[in-house]
Amino acid sequence: MSNNQIRVVTIDGPSGSGKGTLSQMLARHLGYHLLDSGALYRLVALASVKRHVDFAREEFVVPIAQNLNVEFSVEGNSMQILLDGEDVTNAIRQEAIGMGASQVAAHPGVRAALLERQRAFARLPGLIADGRDMGTAVFPESVTKIFLTASAEARAERRFNQLKAKGEIVEMENLVADIRERDERDSKRAVSPLVPAADATIIDSTDMSIEEVFASMLALIKQNS
Ligand code: DC
């Protein structure tokens, strides 16, 4: 592969599989850019709430996605996300906004509106693209495609610990139910459902540590470069 070619690594998988953490670790390690595509869908959900728009009303949600006024700024090791100039870095991580994101993401018009915005993240030297349809729809030409998964229980436990660390108290049972509901909607939607690309390498992280998953992903990336 020549040096002036942008290397895109796609990491898709269900919520709580560890994609976010691993994508950040890989981007930092390789000096690549990072696309957190879930954040874009979360921003659409949050902007809809702020404008009192029902997630189900595609005709109102699409213009919000088309006109999303968002800025990502990296400060040291952390990323700040501004929506209409307001810092929403933490607000978009709430469970309710994640559920909303999954609902607005099912609208074909919303996905179309966000497509070019996502592709624009691909810049030299490379990009780690984290999402549900990175390898299948947004970057189908990518040479390294990873599908990261884990059991619903393991993912709920990880999410529980993440939320607890942020002071958000949720019931474990509700979390497993929410994860199943979100998996079901993300996998069954008509447009760009959550499925591994035919040429993706599947990694099941249920019984693996973050470090083990990181090492196996890095090995895959190196193999392909
Ligand atoms: O990765 P996340 O939990 O931040 O994503 C929130 C929701 O956004 C997820 O339930 C489905 C949707 N999403 C999507 O449909 N396609 C993507 N590429 C990323 C996220």
Side-chain angles (χ1 to χ4, degrees), residues 15 19 37-38 41-42 101-102 105 111 131-134 182 186 189:
S15 53
K19 283 175 301 128
S37 61
Y41 291 97
R42 285 171 182 268
S102 163
R111 305 201 73 83
R132 303 290 187 292
D133 61 341
M134 299 295 100
R182 191 123 66 102
D186 293 346
R189 68 178 173 230

Side-chain angles (χ1 to χ4, degrees), residues 61-169:
V61 180
V62 169
I64 291 177
Q66 284 167 336
N67 299 305
L68 210 55
N69 174 16
V70 53
E71 249 177 86
F72 292 90
S73 63
V74 182
E75 274 181 32
N77 273 347
S78 61
M79 164 108 74
Q80 205 189 27
I81 305 177
L82 303 181
L83 176 65
D84 296 323
E86 183 194 342
D87 185 350
V88 294
T89 317
N90 295 325
I92 59 163
R93 298 295 159 198
Q94 298 167 67
E95 256 326 90
I97 297 299
M99 283 299 262
S102 163
Q103 292 172 61
V104 298
H107 299 312
V110 170
R111 305 201 73 83
L114 296 181
L115 194 59
E116 286 315 313
R117 204 187 269 266
Q118 294 176 82
R119 290 189 174 148
F121 277 78
R123 282 179 284 129
L124 282 169
L127 176 71
I128 304 290
D130 160 2
R132 303 290 187 292
D133 61 341
M134 299 295 100
T136 50
V138 181
F139 300 107
E141 310 294 320
S142 144
V143 285
T144 307
K145 296 182 184 177
I146 298 169
F147 191 87
L148 182 63
T149 187
S151 71
E153 289 74 17
R155 290 184 284 125
E157 200 178 318
R158 291 174 195 166
R159 188 52 65 101
F160 179 84
N161 291 332
Q162 269 175 0
L163 292 171
K164 198 169 130 196
K166 283 190 285 181
E168 209 176 320
I169 303 299

